[in-house]
Amino acid sequence: MLKITGIILLSSAISACGAYMSSKITQKRNFRKSLFELLIYVKVCIDNGALPLDRIYENFYDVRAEKNGFLRALRQSGLECALISVKDELPDEIYELYLSFAQSLGKSLYTSSESALCARYTELIKEKEKNYEQKEAVKQLLFKRLGILCGLLAALLLI
Amino acid sequence: MRESLISEQNELDSVIKILPKSVFLSLIKTENPILPKISEIRLRVGGACSVTVCAENLYLCSDGAKKEPQNLISVTQSDIDSFLRDFCAGSVYAYESTIKNGYVSIGGIRVGICGAAAEKNGAMNGFSEITSINIRIPHHIFGCSDGLFAELSQSDVGKEGILIVSPPGAGKTTMLRDIAIKISRKASAHPPFRTVIIDERREIFTEKFFFGCFADVLSGVSKELGIECAVRVMSPEIIICDEIGSKAEAGIISDANISGITFIASIHGKNVHDVFAKPWIKKLFDDGVFSYVYVLSRKTDGIVGKLTKILPESEKNNA
């Protein structure tokens, strides 16, 4: 009885590992969604009222960005520093794109140039995100199924 | 940077921190009596950088601000671009509308811009290259309007319009600010008046000076729109505005005065004759919008003025 309980717990734990790895991917994807929302929000604020960046960052709120400290870094030190603080949570290609955007933002004399910059990076990042989402969907399925299979295998081996 | 400019005790310190390195080093080597009196810092690509102290221009040299051009410092295009970015807190585009008019004004500090201007439909549309800037540091002289109030009769305070005349840099804006502070506060000689300041270039109103004042400000808007809005929604007793001069502005002032609003304004000029050379300004005196001209001149120890009462044409004829 004890043995069977132990086997069930062990195989459940192994399956849960797979689910955990899958949820980490979901978390990172959700954070990237917050970043993308920030990008769109910046464009909207520039198009409507040409708000300065510090006011835009002050008004922006997202629970996911708040939790990992990104919002605090954004308001204190600007977008470039905030991105550096969350570098590990982003795929390299997407990180490079956001960093390049942050380094170019706010330098033009014209609102129309800034808006065009935001629009350009929105398109580029959207394209990259599509590719990553497809790859991540496959990875998540793999982790979940692998977790369950390994759990079952462990159970079979121990029986 | 924007927030720190507004909250900084000393505007000069807040600007010095973001100046190009060569300028910063030159200023910190400048003698102490001169440094706090700096009213303008001019940076020029390919030209001499200078400061203005009590109407005197000094060269910025490697060992401080000097009268003689020796060991002059220089700035690059990149230095000026970088300064503007820091001044605008990384959001230069947010000041596009004022940059198109050749300046950026934040927290009372005005940066005038010169360079290769871009034109669109006959109007200035910004700059393709900025080659020089003039950073104007505000220095409020508390009590500079005491002389004016001493000369005005008690019954005329807040009731009769005053036009302040002076050449550039003589203290018109400082005078207007001091008048606004005094007239919107209770004093022994007069009650506080509901005052609206039309602060087109964001130079007159500084929050920290207006504590306890019945003063409202409309900033970053043209005088015509500002006056119209103020009359419609703020029911002011007094409107204060800087550098009037166009026919359209004179027209709107005249219309607003019919509603019983008193105007205190400033205009460029050396004397009363300069003012009356513009027929639409003379008309404002004939219509009784303004009754006094206060001609300013800047001295080393402050601003001095001469008050003259101007009778409307009709009263002159009767006399």
Side-chain angles (χ1 to χ4, degrees):
Chain A
M1 189 65 198
L2 205 60
K3 187 180 174 185
I4 292 170
T5 312
I7 289 167
I8 291 170
L9 280 172
L10 187 62
S11 56
S12 303
I14 294 171
S15 306
C17 273
Y20 173 74
M21 303 285 283
S22 171
S23 73
K24 288 296 270 182
I25 294 174
T26 306
Q27 259 181 21
K28 287 189 179 180
R29 188 170 60 236
N30 288 342
F31 175 64
R32 292 203 312 273
K33 278 185 187 164
S34 307
L35 272 187
F36 194 72
E37 275 168 32
L38 172 64
L39 176 53
I40 293 173
Y41 185 72
V42 166
K43 185 178 185 308
V44 167
C45 289
I46 288 173
D47 286 342
N48 300 285
L51 285 184
L53 291 173
D54 53 354
R55 190 95 63 84
I56 295 173
Y57 299 153
E58 203 58 51
N59 294 343
F60 178 76
Y61 183 77
D62 183 272
V63 168
R64 296 165 291 206
E66 171 96 76
K67 273 191 184 152
N68 65 359
F70 175 79
L71 268 192
R72 194 171 357 107
L74 181 70
R75 286 166 186 163
Q76 276 176 1
S77 320
L79 183 56
E80 200 176 330
C81 293
L83 284 168
I84 292 169
S85 73
V86 295
K87 188 179 175 183
D88 294 337
E89 300 195 34
L90 300 170
D92 287 343
E93 276 182 317
I94 290 188
Y95 171 74
E96 293 297 327
L97 275 175
Y98 274 113
L99 192 66
S100 167
F101 169 66
Q103 286 166 345
S104 311
L105 188 61
K107 295 190 167 62
S108 168
L109 295 180
Y110 303 100
T111 314
S112 52
S113 305
E114 296 295 323
S115 180
L117 179 81
C118 293
R120 173 83 186 121
Y121 275 93
T122 306
E123 285 309 309
L124 288 172
I125 291 170
K126 208 172 172 180
E127 211 42 58
K128 287 275 179 233
E129 277 292 336
K130 232 189 268 181
N131 296 337
Y132 272 103
E133 268 178 33
Q134 286 167 356
K135 286 183 199 168
E136 279 174 352
V138 169
K139 247 191 207 173
Q140 280 185 292
L141 198 59
L142 182 67
F143 277 132
K144 281 181 189 163
R145 286 186 178 168
L146 211 56
I148 293 169
L149 278 173
C150 288
L152 283 172
L153 187 61
L156 282 171
L157 285 174
L158 290 170
I159 282 175
Chain B
M1 176 64 198
R2 195 165 58 90
E3 292 306 321
S4 67
L5 272 173
I6 292 163
S7 62
E8 275 293 339
Q9 287 292 322
N10 190 330
E11 284 87 358
L12 181 61
D13 285 345
S14 64
V15 165
I16 285 176
K17 277 193 287 196
I18 58 169
L19 284 168
K21 191 176 174 186
S22 55
V23 181
F24 173 79
L25 291 172
S26 174
L27 284 174
I28 61 172
K29 287 176 186 165
T30 300
E31 288 156 23
N32 211 8
I34 296 174
L35 193 59
K37 291 182 187 169
I38 291 175
S39 56
E40 287 178 353
I41 302 171
R42 289 170 193 261
L43 307 183
R44 299 178 178 94
V45 177
C49 299
S50 66
V51 292
T52 306
V53 178
C54 300
E56 191 185 359
N57 298 316
L58 302 173
Y59 291 94
L60 277 178
C61 306
S62 50
D63 53 349
K66 304 281 177 202
K67 287 185 185 174
E68 299 302 320
Q70 282 176 349
N71 301 320
L72 294 176
I73 60 160
S74 62
V75 293
T76 61
Q77 182 72 65
S78 161
D79 287 333
I80 289 190
D81 290 344
S82 184
F83 170 79
L84 262 181
R85 263 201 309 280
D86 289 339
F87 185 70
C88 298
S91 307
V92 186
Y93 67 86
Y95 303 93
E96 181 182 356
S97 57
T98 60
I99 287 173
K100 281 179 181 175
N101 290 319
Y103 73 96
V104 180
S105 184
I106 304 174
I109 300 173
R110 189 179 78 189
V111 177
I113 298 169
C114 255
E119 206 181 305
K120 191 177 177 183
N121 300 329
M124 220 162 85
N125 192 44
F127 293 85
S128 56
E129 196 181 47
I130 295 173
T131 52
S132 60
I133 54 175
N134 171 20
I135 308 161
R136 188 179 269 201
I137 313 290
H139 289 287
H140 189 65
I141 305 171
F142 285 99
C144 62
S145 63
D146 287 347
L148 168 64
F149 281 92
E151 286 188 66
L152 275 175
S153 63
Q154 207 164 325
S155 57
D156 286 351
V157 173
K159 304 292 178 198
E160 300 293 334
I162 304 169
L163 186 62
I164 294 162
V165 179
S166 90
K172 286 189 301 303
T173 308
T174 308
M175 179 61 66
L176 276 178
R177 190 186 303 119
D178 205 57
I179 292 171
I181 293 168
K182 277 214 170 52
I183 210 133
S184 58
R185 261 193 203 150
K186 188 169 171 7
S188 53
H190 64 81
F193 290 94
R194 291 191 307 277
T195 305
V196 172
I197 303 166
I198 311 298
D199 198 1
E200 190 172 359
R201 276 194 280 270
R202 296 187 170 100
E203 290 179 304
I204 305 174
F205 183 83
T206 308
E207 201 180 303
K208 61 186 179 186
F209 298 143
F210 281 82
F211 182 76
C213 297
F214 285 7
D216 304 298
V217 64
L218 266 166
S219 60
V221 71
S222 69
K223 283 182 272 291
E224 294 98 316
L225 282 176
I227 292 170
E228 198 185 316
C229 183
V231 168
R232 219 177 322 124
V233 304
M234 297 306 290
S235 61
E237 291 171 295
I238 295 175
I239 289 181
I240 290 179
C241 47
D242 203 2
E243 291 183 20
I244 64 166
S246 72
K247 223 172 176 176
E249 285 165 359
I252 199 93
I253 288 172
S254 190
D255 291 342
N257 181 252
I258 292 169
S259 319
I261 297 166
T262 304
F263 276 84
I264 300 173
S266 69
I267 193 169
H268 280 304
K270 283 197 225 92
N271 48 47
V272 178
H273 301 292
D274 280 352
V275 168
F276 280 20
K278 290 185 183 160
W280 50 90
I281 300 293
K282 187 174 179 304
K283 191 173 179 303
L284 289 176
F285 281 91
D286 292 338
D287 293 345
V289 175
F290 294 115
S291 303
Y292 289 95
V293 170
Y294 194 52
V295 182
L296 297 184
S297 53
R298 176 78 91 157
K299 303 287 179 205
T300 45
D301 53 350
I303 309 168
V304 293
K306 184 172 177 249
L307 189 69
T308 311
K309 187 161 171 87
I310 308 288
L311 290 174
E313 203 64 42
S314 52
E315 282 188 33
K316 277 185 203 166
N317 291 338
N318 290 342

